[in-house]
Amino acid sequence: MMKFMLHKFLLASALLLSGMSSQADTVKFSAPAQYCFPQTSVRSELGKFDKVILDHNVIINEQDHFKNGDIFVGFRRKSQPDVIWLTDGISWLNAADTANTTPKNYPVILPNGDGTLQPVMPITLSNEPVDVSAYVGDGEVWVGYGLKPAGETWEKSYADMISNNRFNKIWDITGSTPASGLPDNLLTICLAATEMETTVITAGHDLPGEVILGKR
């Protein structure tokens, strides 16, 4: 069973939401600017798999922008290809376990807070380094998304993702270093912006601000 310990940040964020206040400052650019970053990145000590952080940005198809849906982060072992594990942001759950009603979608927290699929959706496998040494040569991380009508549960979006093949392998845990398993056709994402909004969220103390790219 997967034993990744991840995303304590998400749980803490959910508990703080009700007591949060925020203050935003906006800087307008004199001309459109670009903010570029890799679609997937792996950070670790050189050649080591015991302290790994994986970041990924899900690119939502243009026709699905701002629709209701869910992101799914999955793990599969090549030695057990029919068993898919999904994370709810805290623990990993067998996708086929219908007895466990815990939501298996990945809870992405964005400043807009409306739950719709933005054009680029950031996910982090863990905010703390994780040890994946036991899965070298065997483990794979998959990410995808599915659509659902408003008010429906994650089961609808998961079925939609599977039926429409909206998922991809983003990392193969293999090679001499964690970065060896990234796709050969790794994309660089560049977003155009006309303004930058920095938000300081206060919940008894100041937390680091968020940078939000404005619309074209």
Side-chain angles (χ1 to χ4, degrees):
M1 179 176 180
M2 288 293 295
K3 294 183 179 178
F4 291 165
M5 297 299 296
L6 64 143
H7 250 179
K8 295 177 183 177
F9 164 79
L10 289 174
L11 182 59
S13 297
L15 294 174
L16 288 172
L17 285 177
S18 60
M20 282 184 176
S21 60
S22 63
Q23 178 180 348
D25 293 311
T26 300
V27 176
K28 294 187 180 296
F29 304 149
S30 58
Q34 282 196 326
Y35 176 60
C36 298
F37 47 90
Q39 184 179 13
T40 311
S41 63
V42 172
R43 288 169 284 158
S44 68
E45 293 185 30
L46 184 62
K48 294 185 178 180
F49 288 82
D50 59 342
K51 295 179 181 178
V52 178
I53 292 180
L54 172 70
D55 296 315
H56 179 73
N57 295 278
V58 185
I59 299 176
I60 304 301
N61 294 331
E62 184 175 358
Q63 64 270 25
D64 299 328
H65 288 178
F66 311 111
K67 293 182 179 180
N68 289 311
D70 291 308
I71 301 294
F72 295 91
V73 178
F75 174 85
R76 183 175 71 171
R77 302 184 70 166
K78 296 172 186 176
S79 58
Q80 298 176 311
D82 296 328
V83 181
I84 305 295
W85 298 91
L86 298 173
T87 181
D88 63 353
I90 297 181
S91 57
W92 291 83
L93 307 154
N94 191 325
D97 185 2
T98 56
N100 191 327
T101 58
T102 302
K104 297 180 176 68
N105 57 302
Y106 183 93
V108 180
I109 298 176
L110 292 174
N112 66 343
D114 64 2
T116 59
L117 296 170
Q118 301 294 304
V120 180
M121 302 288 285
I123 66 106
T124 297
L125 184 67
S126 173
N127 281 338
E128 298 179 0
V130 294
D131 186 353
V132 297
S133 302
Y135 307 107
V136 175
D138 191 30
E140 303 172 339
V141 177
W142 293 71
V143 173
Y145 77 92
L147 303 178
K148 65 182 180 183
E152 288 287 354
T153 61
W154 67 269
E155 288 94 343
K156 287 285 186 181
S157 49
Y158 185 71
D160 177 78
M161 177 186 72
I162 297 300
S163 63
N164 289 283
N165 201 37
R166 292 200 207 92
F167 53 88
N168 295 286
K169 181 171 66 175
I170 65 166
W171 185 37
D172 199 347
I173 308 175
T174 189
S176 58
T177 183
S180 302
L182 292 176
D184 294 332
N185 58 345
L186 185 64
L187 299 178
T188 295
I189 299 171
C190 289
L191 302 179
T194 56
E195 64 182 44
M196 178 178 68
E197 182 179 283
T198 56
T199 303
V200 177
I201 302 173
T202 304
H205 58 281
D206 289 343
L207 298 177
E210 290 187 78
V211 179
I212 305 169
L213 292 176
K215 297 179 180 178
R216 282 180 179 270

